[in-house]
């Protein structure tokens, strides 16, 4: 017994010594530089052994790696912005020399930067009911991964295995981490401004590529797969190769840009540029030719026209212009020609009805545990259901869920759906309840809260037509904005210095 007691004491002293030494190392002023050098060495080793990049390109790659390491590892806010850009460009930029895509490394860098900041005492993370629900939901996803299920996680059309852990990482872990970090890192207007500027810039790019896809010159459109999309022919798919995510990005950019236009603390040139971006987003959103995107854009404009104190005029004019356009083009607008902007096509509606019928049947069969994470496409192949006798059986066959909450319930059961709703309703209630405390003026005030609430609302409504877990950028953006707005509204426990 004495030997066991001695061993326990030794382990405890060793652990405490390790903690003290680790804290001393990361608290040192030279830590970011040392971390950058270490990360740079890893970059060089990776380039040399994982897949060499020769010549000037290799030198540039190493230089950029060193610079990014110094910036990212020294600042959680910088790491978050890098993650947003990496997620935005995930499909467009491939680096074969790396063992994984850049977004995964950016996520890892954010985790390291946030952990270092917590140890150094520059960030104090908060853990409450919402964070507990996030952890529980994430763990339930992992339990579903290892639990034995009837169907495998495969794409029936190709037979390809769905990377389940990556699906959880991009659809659940990454946005939750963004909320937790943003809540404590983006608490001032100084730290929030770069986020809003970045959203506006990315939306400008999305709008420009959406317009050039139809008007030309097509040589200016990058990446080229935007022009070659067969799945979404005739729609503005953007860098995501998906019209819904492209539309959500432009809606977020439009709302953000409109508030930047009204921000008097900004230089006139910045406000004019924001106005140009807002103007570009409107035709870009229209060119998605996607009813869900048009619907949520109308909801976003209406919300801001009602609640955006001091900035209502631009939203009212946009709403009036949209209604006038619909009235003038009513015949085309109500036609079944999607390429011309018609909303009368029923084929996509039948797809969703059959997918809903399949989900409801699946929930009835396995209500508690569900059919397993990332298995809806397989489920919808072997147990495809029809909404009604007059709906074609082939509509919606073998596709992923086209309703977010029903897809979660079918795959993760009522338990998974309940945990997800606790998270979703929790962050919504938190945001709405804290908006009253936020100052009316300033980009860290109610305008930020309304931007976050509007983007959240459009994202949730889009979830009635798609499974949002596949949209890593949209999920990341939504939870980042919510976390920033909640953090800006909450009273600080003590002064927090974010590097």
């Amino acid at each position: 017994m004495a030997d066991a007691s001695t061993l326990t004491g030794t382990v405890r002293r060793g652990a405490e010594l390790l903690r003290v030494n680790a804290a001393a190392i990361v608290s040192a002023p030279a830590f970011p530089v040392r971390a950058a050098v270490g990360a740079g060495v890893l970059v060089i080793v990776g380039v040399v052994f994982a897949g060499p990049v020769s010549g000037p390109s290799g030198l540039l790659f190493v230089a950029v790696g060193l610079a990014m390491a110094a910036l990212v590892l020294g600042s959680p806010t910088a790491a978050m912005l890098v993650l947003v850009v990496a997620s935005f460009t995930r499909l467009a930029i491939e680096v074969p020399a790396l063992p994984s895509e850049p977004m995964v490394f950016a996520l890892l860098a954010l985790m390291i930067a946030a952990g270092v900041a917590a140890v150094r005492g520059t960030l104090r993370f908060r853990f409450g009911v919402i964070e507990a629900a996030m952890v529980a939901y994430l763990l339930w996803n992992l339990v579903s991964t290892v639990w034995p299920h009837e169907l495998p996680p495969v794409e029936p059309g190709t037979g390809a295995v769905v990377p389940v852990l990556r699906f959880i990482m991009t659809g659940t872990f990454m946005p939750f981490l963004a909320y937790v970090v943003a809540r404590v890192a983006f608490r001032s207007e100084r730290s929030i401004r770069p986020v809003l500027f970045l959203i506006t810039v990315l939306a400008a790019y999305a709008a420009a590529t959406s317009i050039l896809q139809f008007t030309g010159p097509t040589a200016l459109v990058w990446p080229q797969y935007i022009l070659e999309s067969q799945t979404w022919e005739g729609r503005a798919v953007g860098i995501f190769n998906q019209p819904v995510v492209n539309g959500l990005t432009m809606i977020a950019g439009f709302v953000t840009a409109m508030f930047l236009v009204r921000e008097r603390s900004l230089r006139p040139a910045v406000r004019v540029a924001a106005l140009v971006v807002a103007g570009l987003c409107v035709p870009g959103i229209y060119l998605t030719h996607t009813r869900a995107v048009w619907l949520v854009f109308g909801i976003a404009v209406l919300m801001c026209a009602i609640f955006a104190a001091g900035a209502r005029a631009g939203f009212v004019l946009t709403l009036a212009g949209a209604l006038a356009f619909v009235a003038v083009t009513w015949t085309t607008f109500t036609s079944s020609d999607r390429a011309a902007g018609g909303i009368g096509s029923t084929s996509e509606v039948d797809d969703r009805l059959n997918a809903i019928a399949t989900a409801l049947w699946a929930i009835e069969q396995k209500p508690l545990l569900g059919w397993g994470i990332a298995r809806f496409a397989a489920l919808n192949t072997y147990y495809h259901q029809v909404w009604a006798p007059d709906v074609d059986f082939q509509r919606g066959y073998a596709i992923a869920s086209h309703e977010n909450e029903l897809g979660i319930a079918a795959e993760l059961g009522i338990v998974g759906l309940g945990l997800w709703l606790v998270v979703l309703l929790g962050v919504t209630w938190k945001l709405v309840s804290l908006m009253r405390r936020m100052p009316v003026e300033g980009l860290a005030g109610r305008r930020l809260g309304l931007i976050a609430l509007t983007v959240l609302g459009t994202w949730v409504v889009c979830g009635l037509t798609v499974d949002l877990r596949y949209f890593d950028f949209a999920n990341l953006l939504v939870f980042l904005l919510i976390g920033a707005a909640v953090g800006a509204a909450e009273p600080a426990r003590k002064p927090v210095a974010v590097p």
Side-chain angles (χ1 to χ4, degrees):
M1 184 68 68
D3 292 341
S5 177
T6 302
L7 179 61
T8 302
T10 302
V11 170
R12 287 179 177 176
R13 287 192 296 272
E16 179 62 21
L17 181 62
L18 181 63
R19 187 193 68 80
V20 172
N21 288 335
I25 291 172
V26 299
S27 299
F31 174 77
V33 176
R34 294 171 181 171
V37 172
V41 171
L42 291 177
V43 170
I44 295 172
V45 172
V47 169
V48 172
F49 292 100
V53 180
S54 59
S57 298
L59 181 60
L60 177 63
F61 183 74
V62 173
V64 171
L66 287 168
M68 292 294 289
L71 178 65
V72 170
L73 294 180
S75 171
T77 55
M80 182 71 77
L81 297 180
V82 170
L83 177 60
V84 171
V85 174
S87 177
F88 183 81
T89 59
R90 178 175 62 85
L91 289 180
I93 297 179
E94 296 181 355
V95 185
L98 296 177
S100 186
E101 57 193 6
M103 185 183 72
V104 176
F105 287 96
L107 176 61
L108 179 61
L110 174 61
M111 296 168 61
I112 295 173
V116 169
V119 173
R120 299 180 71 186
T122 55
L123 287 184
R124 295 187 62 192
F125 290 100
R126 303 188 178 202
F127 192 86
V129 175
I130 295 175
E131 289 77 11
M134 287 179 174
V135 172
Y137 178 66
L138 180 62
L139 290 176
W140 189 253
N141 276 260
L142 296 174
V143 167
S144 183
T145 302
V146 299
W147 196 267
H149 297 287
E150 176 183 342
L151 299 175
V154 298
E155 294 288 349
T158 62
V161 177
V162 178
V164 178
L165 292 179
R166 189 191 181 286
F167 181 65
I168 296 173
M169 179 190 72
T170 59
T172 304
F173 176 73
M174 193 165 72
F176 286 0
L177 179 66
Y179 171 84
V180 172
V181 175
R183 185 179 176 186
V184 295
F186 296 91
R187 298 181 55 86
S188 65
E189 184 165 326
R190 178 175 173 269
S191 61
I192 289 170
R193 279 193 180 194
V195 177
L196 301 181
F197 290 160
L198 180 59
I199 293 172
T200 307
V201 170
L202 298 181
Y205 183 83
T209 55
S210 298
I211 295 171
L212 292 174
Q213 177 183 343
F214 293 90
T215 65
T218 57
L220 297 178
V221 177
W222 181 85
Q224 284 293 299
Y225 59 68
I226 293 175
L227 304 172
E228 302 163 357
S229 176
Q230 299 296 322
T231 306
W232 309 103
E233 189 173 2
R235 302 195 197 183
V237 296
I239 196 171
F240 310 101
N241 202 22
Q242 217 286 343
V244 175
V245 187
N246 195 37
L248 285 174
T249 301
M250 289 185 283
I251 292 171
F254 172 83
V255 174
T256 303
M258 291 292 283
F259 281 112
L260 292 179
V261 171
R262 302 293 299 179
E263 182 56 43
R264 296 182 178 180
S265 64
L266 298 177
R267 295 193 301 270
V270 175
R271 298 171 65 185
V272 171
L275 182 61
V276 171
V277 172
L280 289 173
C281 286
V282 175
I285 291 168
Y286 171 75
L287 290 172
T288 62
H289 292 154
T290 302
R291 288 170 290 197
V293 172
W294 294 348
L295 173 63
V296 297
F297 180 56
I299 293 174
V301 174
L302 181 61
M303 285 179 60
C304 293
I306 296 173
F307 298 109
R312 293 189 178 97
F315 294 104
V316 172
L317 288 175
T318 303
L319 186 61
L323 293 175
F325 177 80
V326 171
V328 171
T329 62
W330 181 254
T331 302
T332 303
F333 186 73
T334 55
S335 71
S336 59
D337 186 357
R338 295 298 297 273
I343 63 171
S345 173
T346 60
S347 58
E348 293 87 352
V349 176
D350 291 343
D351 287 340
R352 284 160 175 78
L353 289 177
N354 282 353
I356 290 173
T358 302
L360 293 175
W361 177 88
I363 295 168
E364 183 181 355
Q365 297 299 311
K366 298 185 178 182
L368 187 61
L369 300 178
W371 289 76
I373 185 73
R375 285 166 169 83
F376 191 91
L379 168 70
N380 199 22
T381 301
Y382 299 105
Y383 297 103
H384 181 65
Q385 304 293 308
V386 180
W387 177 261
D390 59 340
V391 178
D392 185 359
F393 176 85
Q394 294 297 326
R395 300 309 314 182
Y397 178 76
I399 64 173
S401 174
H402 274 54
E403 206 287 329
N404 191 64
E405 277 62 46
L406 286 180
I408 292 174
E411 292 186 356
L412 300 175
I414 301 301
V415 176
L417 177 62
L419 292 172
W420 165 246
L421 290 178
V422 171
V423 173
L424 180 60
L425 296 177
V427 295
T428 303
W429 174 83
K430 189 81 171 177
L431 178 60
V432 173
S433 63
L434 289 175
M435 280 183 64
R436 293 176 296 176
R437 302 181 185 177
M438 305 177 81
V440 176
E441 299 295 330
L443 294 177
R446 290 185 188 174
R447 291 178 178 176
L448 173 64
L450 188 54
I451 291 172
L453 186 61
T454 303
V455 173
L456 171 63
T458 58
W459 179 77
V460 169
V461 174
C462 273
L464 300 176
T465 64
V466 293
D467 190 333
L468 296 170
R469 293 174 295 171
Y470 288 93
F471 301 157
D472 54 274
F473 179 77
N475 301 339
L476 175 64
L477 188 63
V478 169
F479 279 86
L480 166 58
L481 285 171
I482 296 173
V486 169
E490 287 179 323
R493 296 179 178 177
K494 72 174 188 178
V496 177
V498 180

